[in-house]
Structures are given as structure tokens and as C-alpha cells.
């Protein structure tokens, strides 16, 4: 099938590459010329495990190409995926300007039947808005489908190739059949292909992310209580997670959720609820708890140094919002580091892949080190913010030799408190006593 993907970011590039991998002819279009140039050289502008290899292979086999000519990409294809940003506006609602701008261009470029598939996370009612916008500019037949994307950054390629479900919002049999054909190769093992109306599909994506964010904030509150009552959140997690009704995933206490999706999607769902005169009480608390969680963690460090971090050197391990990605959007590290800087700390940080991205958010306010151990030279404390695998089993003796103070603040509970004490560290984590 001839497919275009408009918007070649984290979602669009994975979607385009994976559809090419199953034999489709894919054109990825984006307004960002630099990105398109990089992609034409078979280089991925983002870090995503497995993506660059797949990209190289499909470029080599001429199944995927890249352009900044959006209108031509629309003309040349029958199925058009929208993977455009839907950033939060000041009031928390999703900004649809990119989606509707491209919808207008689709209307203007129509030259036959097309299916427009919305992969962006968009508020309920957007399919109607996209349909109206296109219809204003064309007499050709088309269908608009809602097809939310559930991939996780850091595991995006595998998630797309082996999805646990495909959600398709459409009541049009022709469009549904096209979607079934496209997704068939990915769900051969029988994972569900769920067809519903557009509104339910659009809401499904927000409800899914909000549910996951709720689990995280809930566990962070349990952790905060654990610290007060002298319980261990890791044991509580195991105790409740083994109940299949609760499940093991997303129960880890930490510095709160971040990334390009959860914060904006939870806020957008609250906003949608408000528009429909519904007070979504739980979600407002989820947001508050999440904001507070970063600050609570920073306060642990600040409190330890009696609110004076002048002349204190703090090593930071991990900057990206989660491991296996270089995405820094809404990364908890930024908030924590800024609070420490505000109290006079000098920060020396390391992240395996997100250093370049981090510079866009933290500029020259911190020192970027070449390795995790380099951050420890002369450090008064180590702060762990992102749980990259390589931070899990460091050489504690080497660390002690490099550090000036032997104290670790672990924002992801990756170490065993007993082991840390045995190794001569003062150890502070989330929800595990001290
Ligand atoms: N990142 C994720 O993990 C994820 C997962 C599921 C859903 N989503 C949703 O998918 C959508 C895209 O997210 P993303 O993370 O890929 O965003 P992104 O910012 O990484 O990529 C968006 C791309 O669209 C391009 N763009 C902007 N305006 C354009 C226009 N008018 N024409 C062509 N290209 C244009 C940008 O240059 C950018 O390359 C969002 O709605 C997001 O909520 C994201």
C-alpha cells in the first residue's frame, strides 16, 4: 500500500519505518528540513533501540523515503497517517493547530479517495474537526479514522511490531478494511484489533495514559506514607502487584512521571472534562501528586545539606525522562536539577544518550561529564534520577574513592538499602524508611 506519514518525530518515524518493514511504500513528510536531511542519510534523529537498523534496511530496499513536500506526499499516497504534535496550550488543552493545518493541506491536495488516519493523541471530537476541515477544500471522497498509538518510547519499535492491541475508531467499512490489511502482519498472533466509534477511540488513548499516570501517582503517595509509618514501598509493591487485578507494572515509586505524553495527556483530559462540565477529581490529584513528588525528592537533598548547597558538588546520574530514550520533554531531572541549582549547588551530570537533548533544557547551567564515574569526582552526593541499566551495579569502592561525601539519593529505588549501608554509603531513596 502507498502510505504517507505526516510528522516524522518519535511516533511518525517508528510508524513509517515499521509499515515499510511489512512491505508498504512509505513517504515520511516533515516541515523540519534538518530532520529530513538527517533521515535521508539513513541516520535516526532520535535514540530508539532498533530503529536505525530498520531504517537503514528499508531505505536500502527503497521502501521508505523522506520529504518536506507535504502536499506531494499527500497526492502520492492513499493512506495518510498524521503523527503531528498536539502540545499543551497554557490552559492544559491540546493544541490542534498542526493537525488542522495538515488537514487543510490534505483537502487542498486531494486527487482521489484517501483515508486520513489520526495517530496523534487528540481530544474527543477531533475526527469531526479534521473531516470538516478537509471537506471545506475538496469534492473527492475520503474517510477519517482515529487510530491512537500506544507505543512506549524506549521500546517503540517492538511495541509497534508486536502491539498488545490495535484500536481503530471508524464506522466506515472501507476504511476499516484498509486498516485491517495494514495491521494484519502485526497481529498474526491474535492480539485484538478493536473497532469502535471515533469518539471512544480518541478517549481510549487519554484514558489509557491517565490510568497509567494514576497508578504512578498512587504508588508515590503510598511511598510517601511508607516513609512516615516505617514501611517499605518495595515490599508493598510486591505484595499488591501479585494480585492480577492490580498487576505488576507501573507500581514503582520514584520522582514522578514525565515525558511528552503523560503530563500533557492527563491535563488535556482534565480540560476536556471541564469543557463538558465534569470535574474529574482523581486526575487533578494525580497531577498535584506528580508535581510535588519531584520537589519532595529535591527537598530531601536540600534538607540533608541544611538548605545550603553553596560549594556542594552534586553528581547526577540520568537525565532523560526514562531509560532507553533521549527524550527530555517534561523530564523530572530538569525540575530536580533546577531546584538544586537554586540552592547554590554545582551539578555534574551524565546520561548515556540524552546529553545533547539535555543541553536544550539546562544549557550551561550544569557540567556534562563523559562517564558516570566522571560525575563523581569531588562530589558531595550522588543523585540518581533515571534508572538506566548501567547505573544498577556500579563499583561502589571506586565510587567512594572518587566522591568527597558518601551519600546517595536514589530517585528510582534501584539499590538495596542494606547493600548500600554495607558499602559505607548513607542512602536515601523513595518510600523505604530513611
Ligand atoms: N512520543 C510518544 O511516545 C507518543 C506515543 C503515543 C502517541 N504520541 C502522540 O503522537 C503525536 C506525535 O508525538 P511525537 O512524540 O512523535 O512528536 P514529535 O514532536 O517527536 O514529532 C512531531 C513531528 O511533527 C513535525 N511537524 C510539526 N508540524 C508539522 C506540519 N505542519 N507538517 C509536517 N510535520 C510537522 C515536527 O517537525 C516533528 O518532527 C502526539 O500527539 C503525541 O501525543 C506520542
Amino acid at each position: 500500500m502507498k502510505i504517507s506519514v505526516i510528522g516524522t518525530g518519535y511516533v511518525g518515524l517508528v510508524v513509517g519505518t515499521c509499515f515499510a518493514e511489512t512491505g508498504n511504500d512509505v513517504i515520511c513528510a516533515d516541515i523540519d528540513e534538518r530532520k529530513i536531511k538527517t533521515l535521508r542519510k539513513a541516520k535516526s534523529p532520535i535514540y530508539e533501540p532498533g530503529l536505525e537498523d530498520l531504517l537503514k534496511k528499508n531505505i536500502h530496499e527503497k521502501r521508505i523515503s523522506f520529504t518536506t513536500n507535504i502536499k506531494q506526499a499527500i497526492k502520492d499516497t492513499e493512506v495518510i497517517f498524521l503523527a503531528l504534535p498536539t502540545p499543551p496550550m497554557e490552559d492544559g488543552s491540546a493544541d490542534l493547530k498542526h493537525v488542522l493545518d495538515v488537514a487543510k493541506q490534505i483537502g487542498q491536495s486531494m486527487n482521489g479517495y484517501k483515508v486520513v488516519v489520526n495517530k496523534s493523541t487528540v481530544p474527543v471530537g477531533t475526527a469531526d474537526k479534521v473531516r470538516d476541515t478537509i471537506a471545506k477544500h475538496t469534492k473527492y471522497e475520503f474517510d477519517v479514522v482515529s487510530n491512537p498509538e500506544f507505543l512506549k518510547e524506549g521500546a517503540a519499535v517492538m511495541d509497534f511490531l508486536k502491539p498488545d492491541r490495535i484500536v481503530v475508531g471508524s464506522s466506515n467499512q472501507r476504511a476499516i478494511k484498509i486498516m485491517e490489511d495494514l495491521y494484519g502482519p502485526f497481529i498474526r498472533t491474535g492480539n485484538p484489533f478493536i473497532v469502535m466509534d471515533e469518539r471512544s477511540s480518541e478517549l481510549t488513548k487519554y484514558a489509557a495514559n491517565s490510568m497509567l499516570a494514576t497508578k504512578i501517582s498512587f504508588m508515590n503517595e503510598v511511598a510517601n506514607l511508607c516513609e512516615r509509618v516505617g514501611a517499605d514501598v518495595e515490599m508493598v509493591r510486591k505484595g499488591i502487584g501479585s494480585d492480577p487485578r492490580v498487576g505488576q507494572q507501573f507500581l514503582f515509586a520514584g520522582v514522578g512521571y514525565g515525558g511528552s505524553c503523560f503530563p500533557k495527556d492527563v491535563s488535556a483530559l482534565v480540560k476536556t472534562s471541564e469543557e463538558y462540565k465534569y470535574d474529574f477529581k482523581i486526575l487533578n490529584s494525580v497531577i498535584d501528586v506528580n508535581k510535588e513528588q519531584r520537589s519532595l525528592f529535591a527537598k530531601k537533598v536540600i534538607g540533608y545539606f541544611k538548605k545550603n548547597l553553596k560549594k556542594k558538588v552534586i553528581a547526577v546520574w540520568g537525565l532523560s525522562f526514562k531509560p532507553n530514550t533521549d527524550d527530555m520533554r517534561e523530564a523530572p531531572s530538569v525540575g530536580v536539577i533546577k531546584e538544586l541549582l537554586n540552592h547554590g549547588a554545582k551539578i555534574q551530570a551524565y546520561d548515556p544518550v540524552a546529553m545533547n537533548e539535555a543541553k536544550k533544557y539546562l544549557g550551561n547551567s550544569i557540567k556534562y561529564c563523559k562517564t558516570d564515574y566522571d560525575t563523581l569526582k569531588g562530589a558531595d552526593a550522588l543523585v540518581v534520577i533515571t534508572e538506566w541499566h548501567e547505573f544498577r551495579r556500579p563499583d561502589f569502592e571506586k565510587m567512594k574513592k572518587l566522591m568527597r561525601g558518601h551519600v546517595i539519593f536514589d530517585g528510582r529505588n534501584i539499590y538495596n538499602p542494606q547493600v548500600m549501608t554495607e558499602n559505607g554509603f548513607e542512602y536515601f531513596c523513595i518510600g523505604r524508611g530513611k
Side-chain angles (χ1 to χ4, degrees):
M1 223 176 284
K2 281 189 176 334
I3 297 174
S4 53
V5 183
I6 318 293
T8 312
Y10 280 85
V11 170
L13 186 56
V14 172
V15 170
T17 308
C18 292
F19 277 134
E21 177 66 11
T22 46
N24 298 289
D25 285 326
V26 180
I27 306 173
C28 286
D30 203 288
I31 46 169
D32 185 337
E33 284 181 22
R34 256 180 60 191
K35 198 174 269 189
I36 294 299
K37 262 192 196 156
T38 308
L39 285 163
R40 282 184 178 147
K41 289 184 204 144
K43 291 229 170 333
S44 172
I46 54 167
Y47 175 81
E48 191 57 54
L51 182 59
E52 198 164 89
D53 286 345
L54 217 54
L55 185 67
K56 281 197 170 102
K57 177 174 163 228
N58 283 284
I59 291 177
H60 179 72
E61 290 165 12
K62 297 197 168 27
R63 281 193 297 264
I64 191 165
S65 61
F66 300 93
T67 183
T68 49
N69 191 337
I70 314 281
K71 287 191 169 170
Q72 195 59 48
I74 294 163
K75 282 184 184 140
D76 290 346
T77 52
E78 186 185 1
V79 186
I80 302 156
F81 281 87
L82 306 184
L84 296 154
T86 46
M89 298 209 279
E90 238 169 63
D91 66 355
S93 59
D95 188 350
L96 288 179
K97 72 169 184 258
H98 304 285
V99 170
L100 295 179
D101 172 50
V102 172
K104 185 175 164 193
Q105 295 188 59
I106 293 173
Q108 292 166 341
S109 315
M110 293 281 284
N111 53 359
Y113 173 76
K114 301 201 188 277
V115 186
V116 179
V117 188
N118 198 356
K119 273 232 158 279
S120 296
T121 302
V122 290
V124 172
T126 302
D128 295 334
K129 287 187 183 161
V130 169
R131 196 175 290 117
D132 292 348
T133 307
I134 298 174
K136 264 190 208 150
H137 300 277
T138 187
K139 294 268 173 292
Y140 283 104
E141 238 189 294
F142 66 92
D143 286 303
V144 175
V145 171
S146 159
N147 171 221
E149 181 49 57
F150 299 101
L151 61 75
K152 300 180 287 294
E153 282 180 24
V157 172
M158 279 321 286
D159 283 349
F160 197 85
L161 293 175
K162 292 181 188 300
D164 39 36
R165 84 291 209 187
I166 303 291
V167 170
V168 169
S170 174
S171 47
N172 182 282
Q173 285 312 313
R174 184 176 180 184
I176 293 169
K177 174 77 181 55
I178 289 174
M179 297 300 284
E180 271 171 354
D181 285 351
L182 269 176
Y183 279 111
F186 305 114
I187 47 169
R188 289 179 63 218
T189 47
N191 285 352
F193 181 88
I194 309 165
V195 179
M196 57 183 81
D197 62 278
E198 292 98 324
R199 288 182 166 245
S200 303
S201 168
E202 287 165 342
L203 188 54
T204 295
K205 174 65 192 178
Y206 283 108
N209 275 359
S210 298
M211 180 72 207
L212 296 172
T214 301
K215 273 182 116 174
I216 293 173
S217 277
F218 177 82
M219 277 316 279
N220 282 333
E221 289 227 273
V222 172
N224 296 340
L225 184 60
C226 281
E227 288 184 7
R228 283 166 177 74
V229 302
D232 182 345
V233 74
E234 284 302 299
M235 300 320 296
V236 178
R237 175 179 68 77
K238 287 182 186 150
I240 63 172
S242 42
D243 181 337
R245 291 171 303 175
V246 177
Q248 300 280 5
Q249 293 190 35
F250 276 76
L251 292 186
F252 289 88
V255 289
Y257 59 78
S260 69
C261 293
F262 286 8
K264 88 171 167 62
D265 293 350
V266 178
S267 296
L269 189 52
V270 167
K271 200 66 206 157
T272 298
S273 308
E274 279 171 22
E275 277 163 25
Y276 287 82
K277 309 272 177 275
Y278 182 71
D279 178 16
F280 209 137
K281 298 177 202 69
I282 291 178
L283 288 189
N284 281 310
S285 302
V286 167
I287 294 170
D288 290 345
V289 170
N290 195 57
K291 273 188 200 142
E292 236 175 78
Q293 198 65 13
R294 294 172 192 190
S295 194
L296 279 176
F297 181 63
K299 281 195 182 102
K300 272 188 191 170
V301 185
I302 294 160
Y304 178 87
F305 290 107
K306 306 206 168 29
K307 296 192 179 168
N308 186 4
L309 276 79
K310 286 199 180 92
K311 300 203 183 121
K312 298 291 176 209
V313 177
I314 309 291
V316 171
W317 282 6
L319 295 167
S320 56
F321 89 92
K322 67 172 180 178
N324 291 322
T325 179
D326 60 353
D327 201 340
M328 283 294 298
R329 291 177 284 186
E330 294 285 332
S333 64
V334 176
V336 172
I337 286 174
K338 282 187 176 165
E339 281 203 47
L340 300 181
L341 287 171
N342 284 342
H343 282 80
K346 197 175 152 228
I347 306 285
Q348 306 184 152
Y350 171 75
D351 186 284
V353 301
M355 307 272 263
N356 279 338
E357 280 300 302
K359 284 177 190 158
K360 296 180 191 163
Y361 294 79
L362 293 160
N364 294 326
S365 61
I366 67 170
K367 182 176 169 193
Y368 301 91
C369 296
K370 285 208 169 74
T371 70
D372 42 4
Y373 290 108
D374 282 348
T375 65
L376 302 176
K377 286 178 191 157
D380 294 286
L382 165 65
V383 171
V384 179
I385 306 188
T386 316
E387 67 278 32
W388 284 90
H389 271 310
E390 60 200 88
F391 301 152
R392 286 178 187 268
R393 298 188 63 79
D395 179 339
F396 293 122
E397 279 312 308
K398 184 173 170 184
M399 289 168 72
K400 272 198 300 198
K401 280 188 195 131
L402 291 167
M403 291 174 77
R404 190 159 62 188
H406 297 160
V407 53
I408 297 180
F409 296 88
D410 178 358
R412 298 292 180 180
N413 288 354
I414 60 174
Y415 303 122
N416 179 323
Q418 201 185 324
V419 172
M420 299 314 287
T421 310
E422 283 164 11
N423 276 285
F425 284 98
E426 254 190 291
Y427 179 64
F428 299 89
C429 48
I430 312 281
R432 312 190 73 181
K434 216 162 68 137

